[in-house]
Amino acid sequence: MEIVILETAEQVARRASDMVCRQLARKPDSVLGLATGSTPVALYAELIRRHHHGEVSFRAATTFNLDEYVDLPPTHPQSYRHFMDHVLFHHVDIDPSRTHVPRGDAPNPVQEGPAYEALIAAAGGIDLQILGIGTDGHVGFNEPTSSLASRTRIKTLTRQTVEDNSRFFSPEEEQPLLAITMGIATILEARRIVLMATGVNKAGAVAAAVEGPLSAMCPASCLQLHPKATVILDRPSASALRQTDYYDWVLRQQDEIARRHGDPR
Ligand code: F6R
């Protein structure tokens, strides 16, 4: 696992954006796995900015989002489809028919999981997966005790996740308790994974994911199994890690190599 600790959330967004742009430059028809939530909003804003400066194009790209609330139609203002349209898709040159978010309002939500998996497989699999992390260590909506072998399916959200996400819902709105999410095995099949975290409220989950045991109790620890996983953190979200000196040292070496010989990452 590559651990990149930067000083600010803006730097985290720029670093993740560099990785997305490099991926699209290498392979314009890349398949990107995308996350919602607060953390990647700055990444999407940076990608939009670079797109407007002609630095990146999504014309040939395909996207798959991690998750969606069960029962929310795509037009619902709190649906993740609506969120993605507004924070990214409507502002770049991506073909809307190649943007995928699980259908929370599918007539049979149980069948939506295997159908979504089939779409990902038909697209050739995910080249680069962006992840956030929940305060309980979830990735996608794979809550603690999710099977490390899980595939896209319906999950019941923990009380903590419902509480964390209540900021997006007004008091009179009914907040969904179920979501369709890519599974942990689905996520691990991505060829490259970038997990972003910012803010001190993520420090415990980040430490458990990076330095704790591989455990279904911290689903993000599954990244320890992935050969090409990068965790990009701001200083507050990295504050509970024990090996920060080592991560900083490795990063300095890698940045120096990239400066001298070009970035192989
Ligand atoms: C959203 C998702 C979740 C979020 C996580 C962190 O698609 O998959 O795992 O990444 O809940 O959310 P924020 O970034 O709002 O703290």
Side-chain angles (χ1 to χ4, degrees):
M1 211 184 313
E2 182 188 29
I3 316 297
V4 178
I5 304 172
L6 303 169
E7 297 311 314
T8 67
E10 293 72 34
Q11 289 172 329
V12 170
R14 280 202 296 275
R15 187 92 179 193
S17 174
D18 289 346
M19 294 189 73
V20 174
C21 292
R22 266 203 301 272
Q23 174 65 40
L24 287 168
R26 253 194 318 263
K27 185 180 174 210
D29 61 347
S30 288
V31 179
L32 304 176
L34 300 178
T36 57
S38 304
T39 313
V41 170
L43 160 66
Y44 300 145
E46 178 63 12
L47 288 172
I48 293 167
R49 193 190 68 75
R50 293 186 191 192
H51 171 66
H52 288 156
H53 283 82
E55 294 168 25
V56 62
S57 169
F58 297 81
R59 205 173 311 121
T62 298
T63 64
F64 287 91
N65 264 81
L66 284 164
D67 39 24
E68 180 60 283
Y69 289 117
V70 169
D71 280 346
L72 293 197
T75 48
H76 192 288
Q78 304 311 336
S79 73
Y80 284 166
R81 157 57 71 181
H82 185 270
F83 178 92
M84 288 306 300
D85 283 347
H86 287 81
V87 300
L88 181 65
F89 299 150
H90 285 174
H91 307 284
V92 294
D93 58 347
I94 197 159
D95 175 350
S97 71
R98 283 208 290 264
T99 65
H100 303 89
V101 181
R103 284 296 298 244
D105 64 342
N108 183 340
V110 174
Q111 281 167 7
E112 178 64 6
Y116 202 64
E117 294 269 344
L119 280 176
I120 295 172
I126 292 173
D127 292 302
L128 174 64
Q129 175 68 55
I130 301 293
L131 296 176
I133 182 170
T135 56
D136 62 1
H138 71 216
V139 282
F141 276 135
N142 296 287
E143 299 287 26
T145 71
S146 287
S147 162
L148 299 178
S150 51
R151 315 277 337 171
T152 306
R153 71 218 181 287
I154 295 175
K155 279 299 288 182
T156 303
L157 305 181
T158 58
R159 284 182 203 279
Q160 187 175 338
T161 297
V162 171
E163 205 172 291
D164 286 349
N165 289 355
S166 62
R167 67 191 190 279
F168 295 112
F169 293 83
S170 53
E172 65 279 3
E173 260 178 327
E174 201 179 322
Q175 193 180 340
L177 305 179
L178 299 177
I180 300 182
T181 179
M182 279 188 206
I184 293 177
T186 321
I187 290 170
L188 288 178
E189 279 171 8
R191 292 176 191 98
R192 184 178 281 258
I193 299 181
V194 174
L195 183 144
M196 306 168 66
T198 55
V200 72
N201 63 327
K202 299 292 174 69
V206 165
V210 172
E211 295 179 343
L214 172 65
S215 166
M217 280 306 287
C218 177
S221 67
C222 73
L223 295 194
Q224 296 174 20
L225 292 170
H226 197 279
K228 276 193 173 178
T230 301
V231 176
I232 311 181
L233 307 169
D234 67 354
R235 214 34 91 178
S237 68
S239 57
L241 291 172
R242 282 168 297 166
Q243 301 268 43
T244 45
D245 283 354
Y246 176 62
Y247 309 136
D248 289 346
W249 161 253
V250 172
L251 184 61
R252 278 200 300 279
Q253 306 306 316
Q254 285 178 340
D255 282 352
E256 181 57 21
I257 291 168
R259 197 182 60 75
R260 281 203 217 151
H261 306 291
D263 200 332
R265 286 167 279 176

